[in-house]
Each structure stands twice: as C-alpha cells, then as structure tokens.
C-alpha cells in the first residue's frame, strides 16, 4: 500500500526510508505538513512582511521592540539597530508587559474552521511556537547587553524569559488541546555561522527549560518537535534530542551533518544545501550542487533535502531561477533514490 505524504513525513522520525528523498516544501501546497494555530496572538499582525501587497519597512513586535526591513534583508524584519527598549534586565518588569491582544478566542470554533479544509489523512498538522527566547532577549537588549546579562544577571534573565513564556504557554496548550497537532515547530537561532553564542551549560540553564515549557503539552500528546535553528549549533543537538526534537532545519553545513547522522538515529536532518552563488553561475553548477548534497547526506535515511537562495530584494528574478533549478533537480535526482540503492523499507 502506498504511503501518504503524512505517513512518510512522520515515519522519518521512526526509521522509515521511503523510495524517494523527501523535499522540504514549507509554505508550498505540496507540503506534507499544514500549519495551524492562532499566530495573531503570537506575532500580532501576521502580515509583518507585507502589508497590502507592498513591502513593509517598519513595525513593532508584540513586546514593543521596533523592527525594520529593507531591500538588503529581502524585506524580512530585524530589530532596529541601535534601539533597545530594555537597558537593565534587573528592571525588566518595568518595561516588558503582556501584549495588549485580545486572547478571548472560541478555540473549539477556530480549530474546527481552520481544520475544515485540511485532509488529515494526507497532511501532518503542525502548530508553530512564535516565542524565540534567545532572539527575543537579544531584540530587547541588543547582543552586547543581552549576552552580558546571561553572565551578570542570570536570575533576572530567567524571570524575564519565564514571564514571556507565561504568555505563550496557554496559547500553545489551547492549540494542542483543540487542534491536536502532529508536530510543534520551535524557532530560535542560537548560533552564528561559526559557533554558538553561548555555552552548552548556558543552553541547559537558560533556554532548554523554556523550550520544554513551551512544548510540554504537545510532547505529552505524542507530537514531535521540529526545531528551526540556524548556524553552527551542533553542540546543542544532544539536548535537543533529549527534550523531544525529532526534526531539525535548516541544518546548515557549518555543522558536521554526516557525524550527527551517524551518532543520532532517527534524528531527521532537513536542509544541507548551502550553495551560495557568487557572481554568475550556470544551471549545471546549481544542479550538480543538489546532486552532491543528496549523495552526501541522504544515504541511510533520516534526511529531507532543503535549501534555497534568498538574495536581496533586487535579486528576486535570479533567486527564482536558481531555486527553480534546485527544486527541479531535487525532484529528479531524488526520485526513487533509496529504491535504487536498495535502502527503501516501505
């Protein structure tokens, strides 16, 4: 019997090796997952990247942090440089207040409406956690002051992070109860290209407890955690696995992905394509980079091909062309990849 996209996606975390290499299709109608939940409660105006079809260049997040965007960021928002609303973390309670958002939701009715057009036999339902504790701390204070606060005022930092988590936990628990998701998606970029921003000890002291609070109800119900964490964050992988992470994206190649695969069974790596076009590149160069990526990371399973060229706003035509080649080659080269190798076990 042929497996559904949902069965294949969730099966990857349990040792399933399909005939073909799965491809990350976040936001694509062909995605094996469907995102649900009350994101307006977590991110405020969910049109934060575009408003009325026009690029949006300035707004505040739900905690009052000003953000900006421009062509160089592809109109993705970043905290406004040099503007930090929290200067002294020991006085966080004077600055940081619960968002002024109406949380009175008829969860049963909302879940029924949101799930009405989702075929749960075909798609794995995923709910996203919009609280990124490390990134939010840096957004409030800036990197210099935020990182210093971890050393100088650890108890105040913990109080602040738990206070913000107090806002998100009821939202996530209601989402889990009424939507019964198969996955919960975490996001928090805790590393640069070359190293984490803090030690494993600090990860365990400050951030892992928050991640566990946010995902506890979902994990208790049997949902898997899908964690987005950029940069060379491989130091945190054992802890991630320990508190329930089964999928990791974008799994960038600054990390030793081959070693991680060999050491952690059924830990699904989603990514691995970090090809950065410098100047003019040919279609064959791009396609070969896709083939090389699949050959390096796909053998043995527990892998989803993922990656794309973002570029700046004025490179959209180039990005669309390159990403078209990437998507096409991933489908062509990944088709029956495991079946041909005799590795498929479906």
């Amino acid at each position: 019997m042929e497996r559904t996209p949902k069965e294949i996606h969730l099966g990857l975390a349990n040792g399933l090796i399909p005939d073909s290499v799965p491809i990350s299709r976040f936001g694509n109608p062909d995605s094996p997952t469907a995102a649900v939940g009350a994101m307006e409660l977590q991110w405020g105006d969910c049109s934060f990247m575009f408003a009325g079809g026009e690029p949006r260049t300035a707004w505040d997040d739900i905690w009052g942090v000003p953000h900006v965007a421009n062509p160089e960021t592809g109109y993705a928002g970043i905290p406004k440089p040099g503007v930090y609303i929290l200067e002294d973390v020991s006085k966080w309670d004077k600055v940081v207040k619960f968002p002024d958002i109406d949380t009175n939701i008829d969860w049963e009715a909302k879940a029924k409406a949101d799930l009405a057009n989702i075929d749960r036999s075909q798609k794995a339902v995923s709910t996203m956690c919009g609280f990124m504790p490390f990134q939010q701390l840096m957004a409030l204070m800036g990197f210099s002051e935020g990182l210093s606060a971890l050393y100088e005022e650890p108890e105040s930092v913990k109080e602040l992070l738990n206070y913000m988590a107090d806002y998100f936990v009821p939202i996530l628990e209601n989402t889990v109860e009424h939507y019964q998701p198969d996955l919960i998606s975490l996001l928090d970029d805790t590393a640069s290209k070359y190293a984490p921003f803090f030690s494993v000890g600090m990860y365990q002291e400050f951030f892992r407890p928050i991640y566990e609070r946010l995902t506890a109800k979902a994990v208790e119900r049997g949902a898997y955690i899908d964690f987005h964490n950029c940069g060379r964050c491989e130091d945190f992988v054992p802890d991630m696995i320990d508190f329930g992470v089964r999928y990791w994206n974008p799994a960038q190649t600054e990390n030793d992905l081959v070693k991680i695969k060999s050491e952690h069974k059924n830990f699904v790596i989603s990514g691995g394509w970090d090809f950065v076009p410098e100047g003019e590149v040919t279609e064959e160069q791009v396609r070969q980079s896709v083939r090389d990526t699949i050959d390096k990371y796909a053998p043995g399973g527990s892998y989803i091909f993922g990656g794309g060229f973002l570029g700046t706003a004025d490179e959209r035509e180039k990005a669309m062309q390159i990403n078209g080649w990437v998507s096409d080659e991933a489908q062509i080269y990944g088709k029956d990849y495991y079946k041909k190798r005799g590795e498929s076990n479906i």
Side-chain angles (χ1 to χ4, degrees), residues 185-317:
S185 296
L186 280 178
L187 304 91
D188 209 14
D189 293 332
T190 56
S192 71
K193 179 179 176 67
Y194 301 107
F197 291 119
F198 46 80
S199 68
V200 172
M202 282 190 161
Y203 185 91
Q204 296 168 341
E205 180 180 359
F206 293 96
F207 301 105
R208 173 172 168 171
I210 302 298
Y211 301 142
E212 289 177 321
R213 282 195 63 193
L214 297 167
T215 60
K217 182 63 70 172
V219 172
E220 180 185 307
R221 289 286 186 94
Y224 296 144
I225 301 173
D226 185 326
F227 202 165
H228 171 94
N229 201 339
C230 292
R232 201 200 70 78
C233 57
E234 62 183 87
D235 308 62
F236 305 141
V237 164
D239 278 288
M240 290 161 56
I241 293 172
D242 200 36
F243 71 79
V245 177
R246 303 297 290 275
Y247 301 80
W248 168 38
N249 73 84
Q252 293 176 298
T253 56
E254 290 82 19
N255 302 280
D256 190 340
L257 302 181
V258 173
K259 180 181 179 182
I260 291 169
K261 281 194 61 175
S262 69
E263 292 181 347
H264 303 289
K265 185 178 180 182
N266 299 341
F267 178 60
V268 183
I269 289 172
S270 178
W273 188 81
D274 279 348
F275 182 80
V276 179
E278 296 181 0
E280 294 299 319
V281 294
T282 67
E283 178 178 350
E284 178 54 28
Q285 284 176 310
V286 173
R287 289 183 179 274
Q288 185 60 51
S289 73
V290 174
R291 296 191 288 267
D292 291 342
T293 297
I294 290 175
D295 285 339
K296 186 172 185 177
Y297 301 123
S302 297
Y303 179 69
I304 300 171
F305 176 87
F309 174 61
L310 297 177
T312 62
D314 59 1
E315 292 180 306
R316 284 182 179 165
E317 186 174 333

Side-chain angles (χ1 to χ4, degrees), residues 22-37:
I23 303 170
S24 176
R25 301 180 184 277
F26 181 74
N28 187 301
D30 294 330
S31 172
T33 65
V36 299

Side-chain angles (χ1 to χ4, degrees), residues 56-102:
R56 193 175 181 189
T57 58
W59 64 94
D60 292 349
D61 72 13
I62 60 173
W63 301 101
V65 176
H67 282 62
V68 295
N70 57 33
E72 285 69 32
T73 68
Y75 291 106
I78 60 172
K80 188 174 182 178
V83 178
Y84 311 116
I85 68 172
L86 180 60
E87 297 181 357
D88 183 347
V89 74
S90 69
K91 299 177 181 178
W92 66 265
D93 58 328
K94 303 294 192 297
V95 176
V96 180
K97 306 295 182 182
F98 270 20
D100 185 18
I101 298 174
D102 184 6

Side-chain angles (χ1 to χ4, degrees), residues 141-163:
M141 301 191 71
F143 268 82
S144 295
E145 293 300 321
L147 291 172
S148 295
L150 294 173
Y151 285 94
E152 297 173 354
E153 298 284 352
E155 295 311 311
S156 292
V157 171
K158 292 173 189 176
E159 290 173 3
L160 169 60
L161 295 180
N162 276 288
Y163 175 80

